[in-house]
């Protein structure tokens, strides 16, 4: 009887110990799972912050590049004698195309449509000077034009041209590309990764006070240019500023993705021109749901957009 009593007490103690161990293991497992969840959330937030910072850096670089190009567009060396010009910037110094990629064939061929997310193409014509500070979009000095260079009637309208546009690389990742020409050869290379959307509006000075009165798309500008009186400078010569909108996409997948419509120039412009200006309104179906997307915009004034004195 004593032995049976001792066994009962020992068995009951062992049972209580096993229950305590199982309870402790369950609590430990719950704490571990909670810790892993917190760590995963923390890692996701760190990744999102890191990707957002990278997008901010890329956007700042692109705006700096475009600002430099626009401020040099139509530049002519004031110390050199050149043919008179009817307007500044001169015809051909600035041009753009909606939803466009540059032609792969002859330089004179028209751009093709079907750019990534309806992105635009910006084309600028630069003329170098003795300072060597006028650079194309590749960062190379633009050659000094011949002494008889006429901005309005250049023998080679594609000399000193820089083209900016969006295309996908071999892995399908969007990037902003720069296209320039050296001699008869065109070359293109990426200048900023993750640029998924690139939209442009052109600020027109209609009352000659040096300030934009209206911002219009390249398509609208070309339509108005088609009806200009004979002998008048192109409507592009009245552009004094360019509004640039960028959509940056993270290079890595993140926890949160695209879940909303993005209007690159705001909802008011998209409501009015979403059907005739591709890419200004992007729906969640057009965007990668597992990537971060950030919109940026800026208005950049041209430096060489003053009316000639005579």
């Amino acid at each position: 009887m004593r032995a049976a009593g001792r066994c009962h007490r020992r068995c009951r103690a062992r049972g209580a110990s096993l229950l305590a161990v199982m309870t402790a293991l369950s609590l430990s497992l719950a704490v571990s799972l909670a810790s892993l969840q917190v760590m995963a959330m923390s890692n996701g937030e760190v990744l999102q912050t890191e990707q957002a910072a990278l997008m901010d850096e890329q956007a700042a670089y692109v705006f700096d590049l475009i600002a430099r190009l626009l401020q040099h567009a139509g530049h002519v060396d004031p110390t050199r004698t050149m043919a008179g010009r009817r307007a500044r910037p001169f015809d051909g110094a600035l041009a753009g195309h909606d939803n466009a990629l540059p032609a792969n064939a002859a330089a004179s061929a028209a751009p093709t449509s079907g750019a990534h997310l309806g992105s635009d193409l910006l084309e600028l014509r630069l003329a170098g000077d003795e300072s060597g500070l006028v650079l194309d979009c590749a960062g190379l000095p633009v050659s000094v034009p011949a002494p008889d260079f006429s901005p309005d009637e250049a023998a080679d309208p594609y000399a000193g041209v820089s083209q900016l546009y969006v295309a996908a690389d071999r892995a399908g990742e969007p990037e902003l590309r720069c296209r320039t020409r050296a001699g008869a050869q065109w070359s293109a290379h990426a200048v900023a990764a993750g640029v998924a959307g690139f939209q442009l509006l052109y600020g027109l000075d209609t009352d000659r006070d040096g300030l934009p009165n209206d911002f219009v798309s390249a398509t609208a500008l070309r339509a108005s240019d088609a009806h200009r009186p004979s002998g008048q400078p192109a409507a592009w010569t009245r552009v004094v500023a360019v509004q640039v909108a960028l959509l940056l996409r993270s290079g890595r997948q993140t926890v949160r993705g695209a879940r909303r419509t993005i209007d690159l120039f705001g909802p008011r412009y998209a409501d009015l021109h979403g059907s005739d200006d591709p890419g200004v309104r992007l729906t969640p179906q057009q965007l990668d749901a597992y990537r971060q997307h950030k919109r940026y915009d800026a208005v950049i004034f041209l430096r060489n957009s003053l009316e000639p004195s005579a």
Side-chain angles (χ1 to χ4, degrees):
M1 292 294 293
R2 291 178 184 174
R6 286 195 297 270
C7 178
H8 178 71
R9 287 193 296 271
R10 285 198 300 270
C11 291
R12 186 170 57 186
R14 283 197 295 269
S17 299
L18 180 60
L19 180 60
V21 169
M22 293 180 65
T23 302
L25 286 174
S26 299
L27 292 174
S28 177
L29 180 60
V31 171
S32 298
L33 290 175
S35 299
L36 289 174
Q37 186 177 12
V38 170
M39 289 178 61
M41 293 175 62
S42 177
N43 289 337
E45 291 176 356
V46 169
L47 178 60
Q48 289 179 23
T49 302
E50 177 188 74
Q51 293 295 302
L54 291 173
M55 288 188 285
D56 290 345
E57 291 179 2
Q58 289 287 61
Y61 172 77
V62 171
F63 283 132
D64 285 344
L65 172 63
I66 296 175
R68 173 173 60 78
L69 293 171
L70 286 174
Q71 290 169 1
H72 281 156
H75 169 74
V76 291
D77 190 342
T79 65
R80 303 179 66 190
T81 301
M82 296 185 181
R85 51 191 181 275
R86 294 172 296 176
R88 293 178 63 182
F90 54 77
D91 287 4
L94 173 68
H97 301 271
D98 294 328
N99 186 25
L101 294 169
N104 293 323
S108 59
T112 59
S113 60
H116 189 270
L117 295 181
S119 294
D120 296 344
L121 181 148
L122 177 64
E123 181 174 285
L124 304 111
R125 183 164 146 227
L126 313 175
D129 59 21
E130 298 296 342
S131 72
L133 298 178
V134 180
L135 309 177
D136 61 19
C137 61
L140 300 176
V142 179
S143 60
V144 179
D148 59 350
F149 170 70
S150 172
D152 289 313
E153 298 176 358
D156 182 2
Y158 288 92
V161 164
S162 286
Q163 295 177 334
L164 293 174
Y165 61 98
V166 172
D169 64 12
R170 294 182 179 179
E173 296 293 324
E175 59 189 14
L176 184 69
R177 292 184 183 175
C178 155
R179 187 170 184 251
T180 59
R181 198 181 77 163
Q185 299 296 320
W186 287 90
S187 62
H189 68 276
V191 293
V195 179
F198 179 48
Q199 293 292 324
L200 304 163
L201 294 178
Y202 302 90
L204 296 179
D205 176 14
T206 59
D207 54 10
R208 299 187 178 185
D209 65 351
L211 299 175
N213 303 101
D214 192 16
F215 283 87
V216 300
S217 67
T219 300
L221 192 55
R222 291 181 185 281
S224 66
D225 207 27
H227 301 288
R228 63 175 164 143
S230 177
Q232 291 296 316
W236 293 97
T237 64
R238 293 187 285 120
V239 175
V240 295
V242 178
Q243 185 174 358
V244 183
L246 301 174
L247 181 67
L248 272 289
R249 189 177 87 173
S250 63
R252 297 178 60 184
Q253 292 186 347
T254 58
V255 176
R256 292 195 301 267
R259 293 290 185 271
R260 60 186 176 86
T261 296
I262 298 177
D263 296 325
L264 270 74
F265 290 121
R268 182 177 179 183
Y269 181 86
D271 288 342
L272 292 173
H273 299 285
S275 59
D276 56 66
D277 194 355
V280 298
R281 169 165 286 171
L282 300 172
T283 64
Q285 291 74 24
Q286 295 174 275
L287 306 174
D288 190 321
Y290 298 97
R291 304 288 187 98
Q292 284 178 270
H293 292 82
K294 292 189 70 176
R295 183 185 72 88
Y296 306 83
D297 69 272
V299 175
I300 303 171
F301 280 78
L302 277 69
R303 179 181 298 167
N304 303 300
S305 58
L306 301 177
E307 284 289 323
S309 57

